[in-house]
Amino acid sequence: MENPSRVGKYDVEKYLGGSMARVYRAKDSVLGRRVALKILSESGMADPEAKQRFLQEARVASSIRHENIVGVYDFGEDQGRPYIVMEFVEGESLRDAIRNKHLGDLRSRLKIALPIAGAVDHIHTRKIIHRDLKPDNIHINAEGKALLMDFGIAKAEGVQLTKVGFTLGTPYYMPPEQVLGKPLTPQADVYAFRILLY
């Protein structure tokens, strides 16, 4: 997939990464603000379940409003390819912060952990299970604010996309029931959060 120069009203500026979905820094040509533009890749388009999951991510993420969750601004299709427009956040992932020893003392670490716990609690009150809490899905912005992101495999009440016996997630952070492909409760996120704290 070649990097597009424009998607809808968004001017693409820089490729940021991704596989099944590619993420770009872009600029809203109407409002003038920088955004993160997530576009389903060709391989994702070829997989009906991946496409459904992408659409579900847009619906779930756009229904959530919380100061420690990356906001979703827009969703649409351009030349038959779906995209999600999100808040663009400067800074680094928690994974990079750990690797680069940017976490600081215990007080600084709690300033990351407690807001993320609040974000997870908020989605649980909305009957959403994130299912992929890990350092890569927590972003720390330039001011040190922690933000939860990536609802690509989140599970909303009443929605069943994963096949029975099929497992999604990141093995090191998954509770046993998720590894075994069993039904999940919000406790799956609590388990992953405890590993994050460790």
Side-chain angles (χ1 to χ4, degrees):
M1 175 179 169
E2 288 184 18
N3 291 343
S5 59
R6 190 176 174 97
V7 174
K9 65 175 183 172
Y10 303 98
D11 295 317
V12 177
E13 297 178 336
K14 182 180 179 183
Y15 172 64
L16 301 175
S19 54
M20 285 297 266
R22 298 168 65 89
V23 182
Y24 301 87
R25 186 185 72 201
K27 188 173 183 180
D28 184 324
S29 63
V30 175
L31 299 178
R33 67 180 170 190
R34 287 246 149 61
V35 296
L37 180 66
K38 188 173 186 178
I39 307 171
L40 193 61
S41 68
E42 289 175 5
S43 58
M45 288 290 291
D47 180 346
E49 189 166 327
K51 189 171 182 181
Q52 278 298 107
R53 198 172 312 287
F54 189 83
L55 297 171
Q56 179 62 18
E57 176 184 2
R59 289 186 195 102
V60 169
S62 66
S63 73
I64 302 167
R65 294 284 179 270
H66 189 276
E67 63 178 336
N68 295 104
I69 296 176
V70 170
V72 170
Y73 298 145
D74 194 9
F75 171 76
E77 275 195 22
D78 186 73
Q79 298 179 32
R81 181 164 286 135
Y83 63 85
I84 302 171
V85 182
M86 301 170 290
E87 174 184 0
F88 177 71
V89 185
E90 299 276 8
E92 63 184 343
S93 70
L94 179 58
R95 168 87 58 216
D96 289 337
I98 293 168
R99 186 180 299 125
N100 299 326
K101 303 187 186 320
H102 291 166
L103 291 182
D105 60 11
L106 178 60
R107 183 182 295 269
S108 299
R109 293 170 189 224
L110 287 173
K111 284 182 181 177
I112 297 168
L114 294 176
I116 295 301
V120 171
D121 181 60
H122 178 73
I123 66 171
H124 288 172
T125 65
R126 304 289 306 272
K127 302 192 182 305
I128 296 167
I129 305 169
H130 190 279
R131 298 202 300 180
D132 202 18
L133 287 178
K134 60 183 179 182
D136 308 81
N137 288 339
I138 295 169
H139 201 86
I140 303 166
N141 74 9
E143 290 77 42
K145 182 178 180 180
L147 296 155
L148 179 62
M149 58 192 297
D150 199 341
F151 285 78
I153 65 167
K155 172 81 169 71
E157 186 178 56
V159 175
Q160 177 67 44
L161 289 178
T162 308
K163 299 170 191 165
V164 175
F166 185 75
T167 303
L168 292 172
T170 304
Y172 292 127
Y173 297 89
M174 290 163 61
E177 61 271 27
Q178 190 171 356
V179 172
L180 296 171
K182 294 183 177 178
L184 297 182
T185 70
Q187 290 303 310
D189 287 342
V190 174
Y191 179 97
F193 182 75
R194 291 173 69 179
I195 295 173
L196 271 174
L197 282 180
Y198 174 77

